[in-house]
């Protein structure tokens, strides 16, 4: 993450993932970063004077998120993800419903991709030993709903499925399991913030809060 200070050209190569001097300058300009440059070749020094969008820059340089992402929606999502304890461990369906009802619609696929960026950067991980279980069904209006179920019910449904799962009858076997579950069941591992990358996560949260306050 760039700070307001002087950098050697070699340092910026590593931060921006670009070896070419002109490529580094083009990236800085594309991100809207104000800078002064002095020296030539390996003695080039760049003095970073202003970073207008710290969140976008952090996402690109630290999380490897493409520059084409909708950063306004992403910012809101990450803010809720890290600042709302309940939101972080909601199911994808509940996250989607909450975002649509309270803020702006974001598809489940998009949210999954955004969470994967955090996983790949080792900011979070999924605790497979600590899971929630739920069934997904529909209410009387045709809207998807989630129903909490116990681990025992989840396992019982799968036992029923495997008991009846014979060639060409897997659909019927799944239907029998769904009767036990009360819908289509899923297991949701709890998301844990990785303590090893705590400083980076705290920096992201600081950027998010400052950015939201400005708005």
């Amino acid at each position: 993450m760039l700070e307001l200070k002087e950098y050697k050209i070699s340092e910026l190569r590593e931060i921006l993932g670009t070896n070419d001097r002109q490529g580094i300058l083009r990236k800085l300009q594309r991100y809207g970063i104000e800078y002064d440059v002095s020296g030539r070749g390996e003695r080039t020094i760049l003095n970073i004077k202003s970073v207008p969008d710290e969140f976008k820059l952090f996402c690109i340089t630290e999380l490897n998120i493409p520059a084409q992402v909708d950063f306004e929606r992403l910012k809101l999502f990450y803010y809720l993800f890290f600042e709302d304890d309940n939101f972080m461990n909601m199911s994808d369906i509940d996250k989607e419903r909450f975002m649509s009802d309270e803020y702006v619609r974001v598809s489940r696929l998009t949210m999954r991709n955004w969470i994967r960026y955090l996983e790949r950067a080792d900011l979070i991980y999924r605790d497979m030993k600590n899971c929630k279980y739920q069934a997904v069904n529909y209410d009387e209006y045709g809207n998807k709903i989630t129903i909490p179920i116990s681990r025992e019910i989840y396992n019982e449904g799968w036992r029923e499925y495997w008991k009846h799962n014979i060639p060409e009858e897997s659909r019927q076997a799944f239907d029998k399991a769904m009767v036990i579950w009360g819908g289509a069941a899923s297991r949701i591992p709890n998301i844990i913030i990785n303590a090893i990358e705590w400083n980076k996560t705290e920096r992201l949260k600081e950027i998010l809060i400052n950015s939201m306050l400005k708005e």
Side-chain angles (χ1 to χ4, degrees):
M1 179 65 189
L2 288 179
E3 301 176 21
L4 303 184
K5 67 176 189 179
E6 291 186 346
Y7 286 90
K8 297 178 182 177
I9 191 74
S10 57
E11 293 175 308
L12 288 178
R13 285 197 189 106
E14 183 175 349
I15 293 172
L16 299 176
T18 302
N19 290 324
D20 178 61
R21 182 180 187 273
Q22 289 304 314
I24 290 172
L25 298 182
R26 283 195 297 271
K27 276 195 173 183
L28 293 176
Q29 292 164 6
R30 192 185 315 145
Y31 301 155
I33 295 170
E34 297 180 16
Y35 62 90
D36 289 330
V37 58
S38 60
R40 303 182 66 179
E42 290 302 308
R43 295 184 179 181
T44 299
I45 299 293
L46 290 102
N47 181 24
I48 305 301
K49 301 175 67 176
S50 172
V51 181
D53 193 339
E54 285 188 284
F55 174 69
K56 180 178 180 179
L57 184 62
F58 184 97
C59 289
I60 292 171
T61 60
E62 301 293 333
L63 304 180
N64 293 315
I65 295 178
Q68 297 77 25
V69 162
D70 184 338
F71 285 97
E72 289 306 308
R73 289 197 301 165
L74 178 63
K75 183 193 303 180
L76 174 60
F77 179 79
Y78 279 171
Y79 178 79
L80 293 170
F81 188 87
F82 285 109
E83 296 300 321
D84 186 329
D85 293 336
N86 293 323
F87 184 82
M88 176 184 284
N89 283 301
M90 283 182 185
S91 67
D92 291 342
I93 291 174
D94 290 335
K95 282 191 181 79
E96 182 183 44
R97 182 183 298 115
F98 181 82
M99 290 288 291
S100 296
D101 290 348
E102 301 295 332
Y103 300 99
V104 62
R105 185 182 181 279
V106 180
S107 72
R108 274 169 275 164
L109 177 59
T110 297
M111 289 189 290
R112 288 190 199 113
N113 287 335
W114 289 349
I115 292 173
R116 285 193 192 101
Y117 289 125
L118 300 176
E119 289 183 278
R120 290 168 185 161
D122 291 327
L123 268 61
I124 61 171
Y125 65 91
R126 298 176 189 270
D127 183 1
M128 301 305 297
K129 296 180 180 179
N130 187 10
C131 301
K132 294 187 300 184
Y133 302 87
Q134 69 176 24
V136 178
N137 214 321
Y138 294 86
D139 64 17
E140 57 185 310
Y141 304 107
N143 299 314
K144 277 188 177 180
I145 57 173
T146 54
I147 307 162
I149 60 176
S150 66
R151 179 181 179 183
E152 290 72 24
I153 292 295
Y154 178 83
N155 290 335
E156 182 183 346
W158 280 114
R159 282 194 295 270
E160 186 70 10
Y161 171 83
W162 290 114
K163 185 167 64 176
H164 296 281
N165 185 29
I166 59 177
E168 300 181 2
E169 291 191 18
S170 59
R171 177 69 256 181
Q172 292 89 330
F174 195 69
D175 288 343
K176 291 179 183 294
M178 287 178 64
V179 171
I180 295 173
W181 294 327
S186 61
R187 180 178 60 173
I188 307 167
N190 273 3
I191 292 175
I192 306 295
I193 294 177
N194 185 4
I196 295 175
E197 296 291 346
W198 185 261
N199 289 339
K200 185 184 289 188
T201 302
E202 288 299 297
R203 177 58 181 149
L204 173 57
K205 291 166 67 175
E206 179 185 3
I207 291 171
L208 285 165
I209 291 171
N210 288 339
S211 181
M212 297 299 284
L213 286 174
K214 289 178 183 177
E215 297 176 2

